[in-house]
Amino acid sequence: MNFSFFSTPRIVCQSGGLVQLGALAQDLSVTRALVISDPGIAACGFAAEAVAALTASGIAAEIFDQVQADPPIVVVEAAVEAARAFGADGVIGLGGGSSLDTAKVVAAAAANGQPVAEMIGIDRVTGKRLPLIQVPTTAGTGSEVTWVSVLTSESYEKKALYAPQLLPDIALLDAKLTLGMPRSITAATALDAMVHAIEAATSRTRKNPISDGLADKALVLLGQNLPIVMDSPTDLAAREAMLLGATLAGMAFINASVGAIHALSYPLGTGFHVPHGHANALVAGPVLRFNMPVAEAEYARLSRLLLPGRGFRSGSTAALGLIEEMERMLKASGLKTRLSEVGVTESAISAMAQEVVTGISRLLATNPRDMTADDVARLYREVL
Ligand SMILES: [Zn+2]
């Protein structure tokens, strides 16, 4: 049982904790901070609140609020330029996964001068990065505790950067920032985080006892609180449980890896602009059913954790219970449930399947069951 486990060294979980941002930045010796966010979060006033918290601690701060979903490299480069022009010696990511992923790359590029395109791949980042605090406003990607950043090229390809330098210094979990999340984003990001937990728990090669424990706890927090926040979006305790669950799931999957659900979801994002969490939720059912012959026992164990009141008799019933619960949550969210409803056509499927087995094979390698291009195409058709 040889493994290494890495995570963000400091996680601060406090409702209303955004006011602490200045003190946290001081702990990292930051004197000039660039807050990286998107127009929606800026319009909510959160970026201004972050700046107020920083300046109250004597830290000069400026906002870059032009992050877009599936961040284009050119926008990330603009944020790097803003950090340089401002003379930032610290970076704050404030927003969903796109803002946090952008902040990671900016913290590295502003310190080492490396062009963003040269950082794409595994361990291509050179030198150190600026101090980095991540403040998620969705309960989803877990980007605040991972060392991966996913950007989008000019030709709409997803480009992933993996490097130890991208692991943030501090994750600040303030559930108040998630209270206003729209229903569709709440559901999509939560289902993404649940998939992180399930895929980490069943990863073929890299799971370990720490990631297993985190995945279990994450799944319970997310699965039991999602129905609550769907009915009562302003339930702060439930929102905090979701936020923490997403972080724990992030800690699990970045160490254990995700699997085929994430692999199959990539072409939906790049080709059809389906948001990441929704894309995962669309293909989760078929992939989990495909994995049943080898993962049934583990799915049954997770199902009994998530749905303790069901009293499942057999392992296969319990395992199917987990899959049906994921499908039920997708349906209940009001998000589209078929690929054809998000623009996918039969004629696109074979190219999508090829993209999965050639371009994203690293995520098939950690999936519990081997998958061919024919398998991938068949699974897409099941939900077309
Ligand atoms: Zn994900």
Side-chain angles (χ1 to χ4, degrees):
M1 194 190 294
N2 300 337
F3 70 91
S4 293
F5 184 90
F6 297 93
S7 188
T8 295
R10 185 173 177 190
I11 296 170
V12 178
C13 182
Q14 184 194 341
S15 167
L18 187 61
V19 294
Q20 277 207 52
L21 186 61
L24 295 174
Q26 274 181 333
D27 288 349
L28 299 173
S29 303
V30 173
T31 64
R32 297 179 69 79
L34 184 69
V35 176
I36 294 183
S37 197
D38 66 63
I41 291 297
C44 292
F46 295 156
E49 281 179 43
V51 167
L54 290 160
T55 51
S57 293
I59 296 167
E62 197 170 85
I63 299 169
F64 176 90
D65 63 4
Q66 296 305 307
V67 174
Q68 299 169 22
D70 302 318
I73 289 173
V74 53
V75 174
V76 179
E77 279 167 344
V80 173
E81 202 39 57
R84 285 206 195 107
F86 181 57
D89 60 7
V91 174
I92 317 287
L94 173 70
S98 296
S99 289
L100 305 194
D101 279 9
T102 300
K104 288 173 181 173
V105 178
V106 171
N112 66 13
Q114 201 179 359
V116 174
E118 283 183 14
M119 297 184 188
I120 290 162
I122 296 170
D123 272 339
R124 302 278 305 276
V125 178
T126 57
K128 293 191 173 169
R129 60 155 169 75
L130 300 179
L132 175 62
I133 300 176
Q134 299 280 50
V135 190
T137 60
T138 62
T141 64
S143 179
E144 65 279 6
V145 286
T146 73
W147 56 86
V148 58
S149 176
V150 182
L151 308 180
T152 306
S153 72
E154 269 175 44
S155 52
Y156 296 106
E157 284 172 290
K158 291 224 178 195
K159 298 288 182 187
L161 294 72
Y162 293 83
Q165 294 96 325
L166 301 185
L167 195 60
D169 295 302
I170 298 176
L172 173 56
L173 309 181
D174 177 355
K176 280 195 173 168
L177 304 177
T178 69
L179 287 177
M181 235 196 306
R183 185 179 170 87
S184 61
I185 295 179
T186 298
T189 53
L191 289 165
D192 178 35
M194 291 179 75
V195 168
H196 291 159
I198 294 168
E199 294 206 300
T202 51
S203 167
R204 181 150 38 165
T205 53
R206 289 170 46 203
K207 71 200 219 82
N208 60 66
I210 303 177
S211 66
D212 282 348
L214 290 163
D216 286 1
K217 184 69 180 172
L219 189 66
V220 172
L221 285 170
L222 293 159
Q224 295 185 347
N225 286 282
L226 179 56
I228 299 174
V229 298
M230 294 305 274
D231 284 344
S232 313
T234 56
D235 184 323
L236 188 60
R239 286 286 193 185
E240 186 164 75
M242 299 290 297
L243 186 56
L244 185 58
T247 299
L248 299 185
M251 293 166 77
F253 94 76
I254 194 62
N255 287 280
S257 181
V258 285
I261 297 174
H262 272 75
L264 267 68
S265 85
Y266 264 43
L268 298 175
T270 50
F272 302 91
H273 305 290
V274 182
H276 176 71
H278 185 197
N280 279 327
L282 280 165
V283 295
V287 172
L288 293 172
R289 285 174 203 278
F290 175 86
N291 288 341
M292 275 282 275
V294 295
E296 181 183 301
E298 190 60 18
Y299 291 164
R301 191 186 67 74
L302 294 172
S303 183
R304 289 184 164 114
L305 276 178
L306 178 63
L307 305 162
R310 295 277 185 92
F312 293 118
R313 294 249 171 92
S314 75
S316 62
T317 317
L320 280 173
L322 174 74
I323 300 169
E324 286 162 3
E325 181 66 5
M326 293 295 288
E327 290 170 334
R328 190 193 65 75
M329 286 184 179
L330 172 61
K331 211 175 242 174
S333 73
L335 293 166
K336 305 270 195 276
T337 60
R338 312 294 306 184
L339 298 186
S340 54
E341 294 174 301
V342 295
V344 180
T345 54
E346 168 62 38
S347 60
I349 282 181
S350 74
M352 287 162 65
Q354 271 310 321
E355 184 184 345
V356 169
V357 295
T358 54
I360 320 159
S361 56
R362 71 180 190 286
L363 297 183
L364 294 184
T366 49
N367 193 61
R369 187 177 172 197
D370 286 331
M371 207 176 265
T372 64
D374 284 346
D375 294 326
V376 173
R378 186 163 45 81
L379 297 180
Y380 279 137
R381 288 193 183 101
E382 280 182 26
V383 281
L384 185 62

